């Protein structure tokens, strides 16, 4: 009942992962005509799975746990240590309730207002500039939005460094070289900054607005009724602001989609439903999260393959969003495919699958969609601009990836 040896059984394929990037799992699934194979990655035996049915078992908490599923080099950059991502059972539920309480309708409304204001101010500056790199601008804007929404003071002179650090945490993901080292330094700086904020809040030298992420996380108690340690509170508050800054990547891909599919641009005008579909299609088509990992809780058999206890299993996020069994013409940009979409939580998984309140699915999907919608509206309706010749290609071998030029625009004019 085990996996065929033909599937690279004991070859260490970590170098291939870096070589093939987002297509690593898909390439092998296609080669072997399967949705499951075994390999070696990060010095251990790993099972990779793909497809809707795979997503269903992956999010079954009776079968998988998260503790120790993320390699240390990713914890030390992207996630931080001892945060929500590695919790299980009751501890996870309690922490996740805390995260989801930050996403209240009222807070989402506040987020909308902040996002609009930050865009309004920025585009005025763009009019006076010869050219701008959208990704860099968006990262700074997202950093401003993230801090203001989360209740973290961000002095003007710090915006550049903080947004660069928060971007580097994400950029470190797929690298063991210089990007990893930059990510480690960025994490040390960011954690020290946010630990200080938590300290200030707990000694009432700083009072963030009620219900903000900084307020909720600083005063949250763990299962034993004690406040989180300053360090863990900092890791969790960074779990709010870091991914908001990461939305800059999707905004850049959104601008690319608009540029390469000019027919979409008209449809975006005064059509909220279309804007939503456009945003969903950007999240589906463009690469961001390649896969997510969990470990086997107890031995079980699926599709005639045995999963033994503690084995690391990777779910093919990028592959599921491009699975031709699920999506017609999966590599085509077609927002309309979301018009009658059935909301299946296991077929559209850019930010994980299943139920966000009980499982590990992203806590910030609504936040992502709201910020992207506002941003796409500004780019599509409120300004006009020229896109000069530049290298817009993005490599699927680099994780995370981005159009090479960062999307340069010129001659920005405010339309209305
Ligand atoms: C978890 C992607 C934005 C907060 C996740 C997961 C993915 C993901 C793939 C893991 C799912 C799993 O382990 O099964 C993304 C992408 C984003 C994004 C691509 C767009 C830039 C956000 C935002 C926030 C956020 C804006 C908060 C404001 C979280 C948290 C978790 C998480 C707290 C951990 C959930 C848990 O372990 O229970 N995200 N995310 N994310 N995300 Fe996001």
């Amino acid at each position: 009942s085990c996996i065929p040896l033909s599937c690279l059984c004991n070859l260490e394929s970590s170098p291939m992962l870096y070589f093939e990037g987002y297509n690593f799992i898909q390439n092998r699934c296609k080669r072997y005509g399967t949705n499951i194979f075994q390999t070696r990655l990060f010095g251990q035996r790993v099972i990779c799975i793909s497809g809707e049915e795979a997503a269903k078992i992956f999010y079954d908490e009776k079968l998988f746990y998260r503790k120790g599923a993320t390699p240390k080099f990713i914890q030390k950059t992207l996630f931080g240590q001892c945060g929500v991502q590695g919790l299980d059972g009751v501890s996870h539920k309690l922490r996740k309730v805390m995260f989801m309480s930050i996403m209240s309708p009222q807070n989402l409304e506040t987020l909308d207002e902040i996002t609009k204001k930050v865009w309004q101010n920025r585009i005025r500056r763009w009019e006076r500039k010869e050219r701008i790199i959208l990704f860099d601008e968006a990262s700074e804007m997202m950093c401003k939005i993230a801090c203001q929404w989360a209740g973290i003071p961000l002095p003007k002179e710090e915006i550049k460094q903080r947004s660069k650090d928060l971007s580097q945490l994400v950029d470190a993901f797929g690298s063991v070289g210089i990007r990893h080292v930059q990510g480690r330094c960025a994490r040390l700086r960011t954690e020290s900054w946010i630990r200080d904020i938590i300290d200030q809040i707990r000694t009432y030298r700083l009072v963030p607005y009620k219900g903000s992420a900084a307020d909720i996380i600083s005063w949250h108690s763990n299962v034993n009724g004690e406040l989180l340690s300053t360090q863990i509170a900092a890791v969790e508050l960074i779990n709010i602001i870091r991914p908001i800054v990461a939305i800059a990547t999707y905004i850049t891909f959104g601008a690319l989609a608009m540029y390469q599919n000019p027919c979409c641009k008209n449809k975006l005008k005064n059509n909220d439903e279309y804007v939503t579909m456009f945003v969903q299609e950007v999240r589906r088509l463009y690469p961001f999260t390649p896969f997510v990992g969990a470990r086997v809780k107890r031995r079980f058999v699926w599709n005639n393959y045995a999963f033994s206890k503690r084995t690391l299993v990777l779910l093919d996020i990028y592959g599921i969003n491009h699975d031709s069994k699920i999506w017609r013409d999966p590599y085509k940009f077609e927002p309309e495919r979301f018009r009658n979409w059935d909301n299946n939580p296991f077929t559209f998984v850019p930010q994980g699958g299943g139920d966000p309140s009980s499982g590990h699915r992203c806590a910030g999907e609504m936040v992502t969609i709201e910020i992207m919608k506002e941003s796409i509206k500004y780019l599509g309706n409120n300004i006009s601009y020229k896109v000069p010749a530049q290298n817009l290609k993005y490599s699927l071998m680099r994780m995370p990836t981005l159009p090479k030029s960062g999307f340069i625009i010129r001659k920005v004019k405010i339309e209305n």
Side-chain angles (χ1 to χ4, degrees), residues 305-320:
Y305 293 101
F307 287 66
S308 49
K309 203 169 161 176
R310 285 188 286 278
T311 308
L312 180 61
V313 175
L314 299 183
L315 178 71
D316 183 20
I317 293 289
Y318 182 75
I320 294 172

Side-chain angles (χ1 to χ4, degrees), residues 107-162:
N107 274 3
L108 289 177
E109 222 169 272
T110 308
L111 177 70
D112 233 39
E113 284 160 23
I114 296 172
T115 306
K116 281 192 182 117
K117 241 190 234 131
V118 168
W119 267 99
Q120 254 163 22
N121 290 336
R122 258 302 146 146
I123 57 180
R124 272 196 227 119
R125 283 169 48 179
W126 292 357
E127 269 197 319
R128 298 192 297 268
K129 286 201 172 174
E130 171 60 23
R131 51 166 236 166
I132 62 136
I133 300 174
L134 182 64
F135 176 74
D136 295 351
E137 292 285 314
S139 299
E140 285 182 24
M141 289 162 75
M142 294 303 120
C143 185
K144 261 184 114 159
I145 294 169
C147 290
Q148 202 179 328
W149 185 61
I152 302 168
L154 179 64
K156 230 181 176 153
E157 60 279 9
E158 285 182 21
I159 297 176
K160 268 204 164 44
Q161 184 65 48
R162 299 299 183 204

Side-chain angles (χ1 to χ4, degrees), residues 59 66 85 92 96 99 239 243 250 289 351 359-360 362 364 368:
Y59 283 99
R66 296 300 180 103
Q85 292 93 346
H92 177 254
K96 199 60 184 279
F99 271 104
N239 268 332
Y250 275 150
T289 305
Q351 297 178 222
H360 280 275
C362 179
T368 309

Side-chain angles (χ1 to χ4, degrees), residues 342-357:
D342 61 2
N343 275 302
N344 182 331
F346 301 106
T347 53
F348 177 51
V349 292
Q351 297 178 222
D355 174 8
S357 344

